[in-house]
Amino acid sequence: MKLLAIDGNSIVNRAFYGIRPLSNHEGFPTNAIYGFLTILQRILEETSPDALCITFDRKDPTFRHESYDGYKAQRQPMPEELAVQIPKLKEVLDAMNIPRFELAGWEADDLLGTISRRCEEAGWSCIIATGDKDALQLITDRTYVYLVSTRMGKTTTREMDPMKFREAYGFEPTGIVDLKALMGDASDNIPGVRGIGEKTGMALIQAYGTIENLYAQLDTLEVKPAVLKKLAEGREAAWMSHDLATIRCNVPMDLVLQDTLRKSVNQSALYQLFLELEFTKMIEQMGLHAQQGDLPAESGRYIGTCHMEEVTEPVRLSELLSEWEKADYVALLALPDLAGVAVSCNDHMALLFRDSLKEYDEMLSRLFSPQIKKVGHGIKELMKKLLEEGYCAEGFLFDTEVAAYLLAPTDGSYELEHLARTYFPQEYLRGGQEQTKAREYLAPNAFSPLGDRAPAVAAFSSHCALIDALFGVLSARLEQLELRELFETVELPLCSVLAEMERDGFLVDRGALQTFGETLRTRINEIQAEIYEEAGEEFNINSTQQLGIILFEQLGLPPVKKTKTGYSTSIEVLEKLQGMHPIIDCIMEYRQLSKLNSTYVEGLTKVIAVDGRIHTCFQNTVTATGRLSSTEPNLQNIPVRTPLGAQMRNMFVAPEGKVLVDADYSQIELRLLAHIAKDENMIDAFQSGADIHTSTAAQVFGVEPEQVTSEMRRRAKAVNFGIVYGISEFSLAQDIGVTRREAGEYMEKYFSTFQGVRNYMYQIIKQARQDGYVKTLMGRRRWLPELQSSNYNMRSFGERVALNMPIQGTAADVMKLAMIKVRNRLKNEGLQARLVLQVHDELIVECPIEEARRVKELLKDEMESAALLSVPLKADAAIGKSWGEAKG
């Protein structure tokens, strides 16, 4: 038999400090529990033990504290955000039927030692999993130690048996105690012999084995006189330290080895705990589900009672449509292909399908008209499909997906199943297949004659009922967190704007794109030949290993960085090697051209639709700041900084008889910083119409504006934008090519000039620590549990986010509001112009040539009036036949 004994305190500490802060939607921290369970699962998979147990320390003093007052005296108390997780972790372990051992007066290490020796006496083997090397003294032929380390979310393990230990240390495992007796242990405040460090201690134990042998030969030791003197003076401390470091293996603990044999988990209890902790993936990985007795009486139902009816008769349909028009709202869920709709209203569920209802198209027209108020989930996609099919897409008053995103912008998932587990854990049915495979059943073919209709209907109605239930919960939560106005004036109306933009797409000149690709490929072949000539041989340029050998072994360039697999050839490395050999510039150009060709030319060509347009998808529930992102393909990432990259914009064009109008906010984030920070000098600069970077340079360098050089302006610009992102002296120094000291001086001069910004940076972090979040001018929130972390890097990350999120998030809010205002005004004035793309601070409108001037003025006007600030918003607009031409 093989028993795995886990050092609970050691592993949970490593999990807590090695994994970023996590919490459930109620703010309860969960990273230590999640990390512990992840590490546990990994060790179980790697060791496959027959038995399992976990030991924990207790708060009570142990015999070591009684024998030495200084024992662990310097230890900081456990962070509160870790301490609150320990009881919950123990609940989880109990639900997993894993025996736990802890005993007053003894440490977890002593329990581990006793467990390992009991195993050996019974003929069992024992594996001790811990992050502390103290346990290495327990290694025998039947007891191994599994050393665990977790850093930045990645866990590594190292098994130590007698042979591996001797190879690493040069003495027997029990010598660990003797080593600590000499060198001490700062973490436990074990003194050791003053002046004896690890190197000297290792050499002495390798030579003499134990401190008993060492001190028995003290008079004849062949060591330096200073070392001999330290040993003689520290004899008493050495023996005391030896006693403190020795793990006891005779603890009077109640242990029956047979009771540690692995058992099945308590499904219901563990399922409920994981729901509370929101460990969705673990629920799925472990196949957990609620017991049937814990479920609502009616399968697939979340809240209250609901009568379900499949509508096939026109008379009944007419009655329902009249009821829905009179109702305050209906909750609905449509199949992706619009072949079926579930509608929940006043505890009644109606299911309508195209194949069984002749008046189905007429029903869709009335259902999605403004006369029926609707609540949906992910309504942007539904609106887009309706518009593509020629239906109206109006009357939506709530989107549960967007609302959930506003409430928890860093969750990452807002699928219905996830929201059910989050907001209705007790009612969420997970045992039935209609839930676990809901996506399969809600696929377009689920309701075909060959589909499995019964579970599909159950999933369909269940999810529609969930949308209805979520509406009440999320609506109240938005009100509570003062997010309703943002939701109703920005996020909800934006859905229809984005749906229209996705439907319309952006025209691409396919011929020009293909010609551009041919030009790129010709140059790629030329540059490849140059690289081979410089290298003196042909090789795979795309292979990091082969390129590393060429650069650092054959050409003799100094290696900048090494990885586990060899030399690093990242762009950062290549930039540092520039000027040392002609091949470096060739490789950098080769990579740039290859990416342009594969990602943009070939990638974009594949997604041009039959109408000649690219229909990107605007993601409105992804970024934590509220910014939109673009996927399938990503049109917000078209390179523009290089001449060839900028040419990509020339491939996006207006149709015959039309042009593109491009408008871009000028320095919107700095203008928002001036307003939010109430910095008088920065406000004055913007109000006067001066160039902010020149104005900043003049004040920082103490010269007149006309004396500001291009280099001064460049450095001032780096400081201006760096401040928004919480840049450090080190990063600024790298950005502008100066020493860290010079960068610090620039920043100090900057803050002396813009004291309002300095005060803002101090106050916003202080307020964020107090509130647990930051928010934009329009109330968008970003929760920041990182600010309470005991990990310095995590806290620093939280501080940077606290600084820049109110600025970036407000910029996102302003842009979204501008999009809504522009689209509405274009429609209200009866113009044919339409929005086709949004890229960060930039809007692009396609319009007939005769509307161009009017649209340019309209676009500029609506963007500049999107928010009233203490400084003017400024948008620059231009007209062109292509995106590149309009962008200038």
Side-chain angles (χ1 to χ4, degrees):
M1 289 292 180
K2 178 166 59 176
L3 181 146
L4 172 64
I6 306 280
D7 184 346
N9 286 84
S10 173
I11 300 302
V12 79
N13 268 280
R14 276 147 186 80
F16 175 74
Y17 289 106
I19 295 178
R20 66 180 180 86
L22 300 171
S23 61
N24 64 10
H25 76 284
E26 294 180 346
F28 181 82
T30 60
N31 64 322
I33 303 173
Y34 182 84
F36 184 99
L37 296 175
T38 302
I39 294 169
L40 172 61
Q41 188 59 39
R42 171 172 175 168
I43 299 173
L44 287 173
E45 291 173 358
E46 291 178 352
T47 60
S48 301
D50 304 293
L52 172 66
C53 67
I54 298 178
T55 65
F56 283 97
D57 291 326
R58 289 176 62 97
K59 294 181 180 179
D60 317 74
T62 67
F63 69 90
R64 293 182 177 87
H65 294 90
E66 295 174 359
S67 63
Y68 175 50
D69 291 340
Y71 184 65
K72 294 187 177 181
Q74 87 295 352
R75 283 272 181 101
Q76 296 295 317
M78 182 181 290
E80 179 63 22
E81 62 267 34
L82 171 57
V84 298
Q85 296 185 63
I86 301 298
K88 187 62 65 176
L89 171 62
K90 291 179 179 179
E91 285 184 49
V92 170
L93 297 176
D94 291 345
M96 295 176 76
N97 284 321
I98 300 175
R100 292 189 291 110
F101 296 103
E102 49 189 87
L103 191 62
W106 302 90
E107 294 186 45
D109 282 352
D110 301 314
L111 303 184
L112 291 170
T114 301
I115 291 168
S116 68
R117 296 305 175 254
R118 297 269 190 96
C119 283
E120 294 177 4
E121 292 167 5
W124 289 25
S125 61
C126 182
I127 299 175
I128 297 172
T130 180
D132 296 331
K133 294 182 179 180
D134 294 358
L136 293 174
Q137 64 185 276
L138 299 174
I139 293 175
T140 67
D141 290 336
R142 299 192 70 90
T143 297
Y144 300 166
V145 169
Y146 232 67
L147 289 176
V148 179
S149 175
T150 297
R151 181 178 176 82
M152 302 300 288
K154 294 183 179 180
T155 297
T156 57
T157 58
R158 182 186 180 195
E159 185 183 70
M160 295 290 283
D161 58 20
M163 181 180 295
K164 291 176 181 175
F165 181 90
R166 284 191 288 268
E167 288 175 356
Y169 287 88
F171 49 80
E172 295 300 314
T174 53
I176 281 289
V177 183
D178 299 279
L179 177 61
K180 285 182 176 288
L182 294 178
M183 61 177 282
D185 186 340
S187 64
D188 289 338
N189 205 35
I190 295 176
V193 175
R194 178 173 292 184
I196 300 295
E198 181 177 8
K199 184 178 179 180
T200 301
M202 286 275 286
L204 290 171
I205 300 305
Q206 286 168 354
Y208 298 97
T210 67
I211 62 168
E212 183 176 2
N213 292 338
L214 181 67
Y215 277 106
Q217 305 173 56
L218 189 62
D219 294 337
T220 59
L221 291 181
E222 295 183 2
V223 296
K224 295 179 180 179
V227 173
L228 190 64
K229 180 181 180 183
K230 290 171 184 175
L231 289 171
E233 293 175 349
R235 181 193 297 262
E236 185 176 340
W239 283 110
M240 181 188 72
S241 299
H242 187 278
D243 182 64
L244 293 173
T246 300
I247 293 176
R248 304 307 196 259
C249 298
N250 58 348
V251 176
M253 60 187 296
D254 185 13
L255 171 65
V256 178
L257 289 179
Q258 291 296 325
D259 292 343
T260 65
L261 292 172
R262 294 176 67 180
K263 305 176 185 65
S264 299
V265 303
N266 183 329
Q267 283 264 349
S268 181
L270 190 57
Y271 172 77
Q272 294 298 333
L273 283 166
F274 280 3
L275 282 179
E276 177 187 342
L277 295 167
E278 298 173 13
F279 289 170
T280 304
K281 290 184 180 178
M282 286 189 177
I283 288 176
E284 295 173 355
Q285 290 168 356
M286 299 180 69
L288 301 175
H289 55 79
Q291 298 301 308
Q292 293 300 318
D294 297 334
L295 299 174
E298 185 181 335
S299 176
R301 179 165 53 85
Y302 289 94
I303 300 292
T305 59
C306 188
H307 171 68
M308 187 168 67
E309 171 189 8
E310 184 169 343
V311 182
T312 59
E313 296 299 325
V315 174
R316 182 58 180 146
L317 173 61
S318 181
E319 292 174 353
L320 287 173
L321 285 169
S322 296
E323 289 179 18
W324 296 342
E325 288 174 350
K326 296 173 186 176
D328 292 336
Y329 74 93
V330 300
L332 62 81
L333 178 65
L335 293 178
D337 61 356
L338 298 183
V341 181
V343 182
S344 174
C345 180
N346 298 326
D347 295 330
H348 177 273
M349 178 75 65
L351 302 179
L352 309 101
F353 299 100
R354 176 172 275 128
D355 61 3
S356 60
L357 185 61
K358 290 183 179 179
E359 298 76 10
Y360 189 77
D361 288 339
E362 178 188 342
M363 181 276 299
L364 288 182
S365 295
R366 287 185 62 182
L367 177 59
F368 293 105
S369 70
Q371 282 69 42
I372 297 177
K373 304 303 179 187
K374 295 167 286 291
V375 173
H377 183 82
I379 66 172
K380 175 178 71 72
E381 289 301 311
L382 175 56
M383 286 177 166
K384 177 186 175 185
K385 185 64 177 176
L386 288 165
L387 292 172
E388 289 174 344
E389 298 292 328
Y391 295 104
C392 182
E394 299 181 38
F396 287 92
L397 59 84
F398 203 85
D399 184 336
T400 52
E401 180 183 38
V402 172
Y405 160 69
L406 272 184
L407 293 170
T410 56
D411 269 13
S413 173
Y414 308 98
E415 295 175 352
L416 281 169
E417 292 91 341
H418 175 77
L419 298 183
R421 288 188 290 265
T422 300
Y423 292 98
F424 305 114
Q426 299 303 320
E427 294 86 350
Y428 179 61
L429 171 61
R430 203 169 167 80
Q433 283 190 327
E434 65 270 22
Q435 293 300 325
T436 56
K437 304 208 174 182
R439 290 186 197 170
E440 295 178 23
Y441 291 135
L442 293 177
N445 64 351
F447 294 92
S448 69
L450 299 178
D452 195 353
R453 193 177 183 88
V457 167
F460 202 27
S461 59
S462 169
H463 281 60
C464 184
L466 173 58
I467 292 171
D468 200 352
L470 284 168
F471 172 45
V473 173
L474 299 179
S475 182
R477 186 72 172 151
L478 287 175
E479 194 76 48
Q480 180 185 355
L481 297 183
E482 300 177 337
L483 288 165
R484 177 168 290 280
E485 183 178 359
L486 176 66
F487 176 80
E488 292 182 347
T489 61
V490 177
E491 293 296 347
L492 188 65
L494 183 70
C495 291
S496 60
V497 178
L498 297 178
E500 291 171 4
M501 292 171 67
E502 290 182 11
R503 174 202 60 187
D504 294 339
F506 202 157
L507 186 64
V508 176
D509 187 335
R510 186 190 291 268
L513 189 61
Q514 290 175 344
T515 301
F516 183 58
E518 291 170 3
T519 302
L520 288 178
R521 288 188 288 274
T522 299
R523 179 55 186 154
I524 288 171
N525 291 333
E526 293 174 353
I527 202 73
Q528 179 177 272
E530 291 178 32
I531 291 172
Y532 292 159
E533 184 177 349
E534 294 291 348
E537 64 178 271
E538 292 189 8
F539 65 99
N540 183 354
I541 303 172
N542 298 315
S543 166
T544 299
Q545 290 184 335
Q546 291 186 35
L547 179 59
I549 292 172
I550 292 291
L551 294 181
F552 305 115
E553 293 184 8
Q554 295 187 204
L555 297 180
L557 294 173
V560 177
K561 181 181 178 183
K562 271 201 167 186
T563 66
K564 291 181 180 179
T565 57
Y567 300 104
S568 171
T569 60
S570 66
I571 185 61
E572 292 81 6
V573 169
L574 295 179
E575 285 175 347
K576 290 180 180 179
L577 295 174
Q578 273 188 293
M580 296 186 183
H581 196 285
I583 198 172
I584 300 300
D585 286 335
C586 293
I587 292 168
M588 292 176 71
E589 184 180 355
Y590 173 86
R591 285 187 178 178
Q592 181 189 76
L593 297 179
S594 297
K595 180 166 184 178
L596 269 175
N597 183 56
S598 61
T599 303
Y600 298 106
V601 176
E602 295 177 359
L604 292 178
T605 300
K606 292 176 183 176
V607 293
I608 298 176
V610 292
D611 61 1
R613 292 173 173 265
I614 285 180
H615 299 263
T616 188
C617 178
F618 294 100
Q619 301 289 345
N620 59 335
T621 59
V622 172
T623 68
T625 61
R627 278 190 178 274
L628 295 172
S629 61
S630 166
T631 59
E632 300 175 13
N634 182 0
L635 295 186
Q636 295 186 335
N637 205 30
I638 301 290
V640 295
R641 293 186 178 180
T642 62
L644 276 176
Q647 284 185 40
M648 283 300 305
R649 293 196 176 204
N650 292 325
M651 307 302 135
F652 292 84
V653 297
E656 190 66 33
K658 294 186 178 182
V659 291
L660 299 176
V661 183
D662 183 298
D664 197 347
Y665 275 121
S666 171
Q667 302 165 340
I668 185 173
E669 291 188 356
L670 286 178
R671 292 172 188 270
L672 289 170
L673 175 62
H675 174 82
I676 292 174
K678 298 181 175 63
D679 190 287
E680 294 182 3
N681 285 340
M682 193 174 285
I683 291 172
D684 289 344
F686 279 120
Q687 287 181 339
S688 68
D691 176 78
I692 187 63
H693 304 311
T694 299
S695 178
T696 299
Q699 297 191 58
V700 167
F701 294 105
V703 298
E704 294 299 319
E706 56 272 15
Q707 295 177 307
V708 171
T709 65
S710 58
E711 180 62 19
M712 288 178 178
R713 187 183 183 279
R714 184 182 74 85
R715 294 183 179 185
K717 183 177 180 179
V719 177
N720 272 329
F721 285 116
I723 293 300
V724 178
Y725 294 93
I727 198 169
S728 65
E729 293 178 3
F730 176 76
S731 297
L732 179 62
Q734 287 193 316
D735 287 350
I736 61 178
V738 298
T739 66
R740 187 170 179 177
R741 179 179 177 182
E742 287 177 301
E745 291 174 354
Y746 290 155
M747 292 181 71
E748 187 54 42
K749 289 178 182 177
Y750 178 92
F751 286 128
S752 296
T753 301
F754 301 112
Q755 295 187 18
V757 174
R758 185 201 293 270
N759 293 337
Y760 161 75
M761 295 176 69
Y762 171 76
Q763 290 297 334
I764 195 67
I765 293 175
K766 179 182 177 182
Q767 191 67 40
R769 283 203 182 95
Q770 178 181 316
D771 297 338
Y773 63 87
V774 288
K775 61 182 182 179
T776 67
L777 289 179
M778 296 184 186
R780 184 184 303 276
R781 296 192 182 198
R782 166 75 184 268
W783 306 95
L784 289 172
E786 295 88 350
L787 290 177
Q788 303 303 322
S789 174
S790 301
N791 183 292
Y792 173 79
N793 290 332
M794 290 292 183
R795 282 200 315 279
S796 298
F797 169 77
E799 290 173 359
R800 290 194 298 273
V801 173
L803 289 174
N804 65 54
M805 190 275 169
I807 310 297
Q808 290 184 359
T810 299
D813 293 342
V814 170
M815 173 52 84
K816 288 179 175 179
L817 201 53
M819 293 172 71
I820 296 166
K821 286 165 63 69
V822 168
R823 179 268 214 151
N824 289 346
R825 189 165 164 195
L826 290 174
K827 285 197 170 186
N828 292 339
E829 296 190 9
L831 298 173
Q832 295 181 46
R834 55 187 179 177
L835 276 167
V836 292
L837 189 63
Q838 182 268 339
V839 179
H840 306 309
D841 302 328
E842 179 181 3
L843 284 181
I844 303 164
V845 174
E846 176 186 295
C847 69
I849 294 174
E850 57 271 19
E851 292 181 0
R853 290 188 178 277
R854 188 174 173 188
V855 168
K856 178 181 175 182
E857 293 175 4
L858 180 154
L859 194 54
K860 181 177 172 67
D861 182 49
E862 294 300 333
M863 289 178 69
E864 292 183 344
S865 63
L868 296 177
L869 307 174
S870 57
V871 298
L873 280 177
K874 188 169 184 282
D876 300 315
I879 302 169
K881 281 293 294 179
S882 70
W883 184 8
E885 184 182 327
K887 184 65 179 172

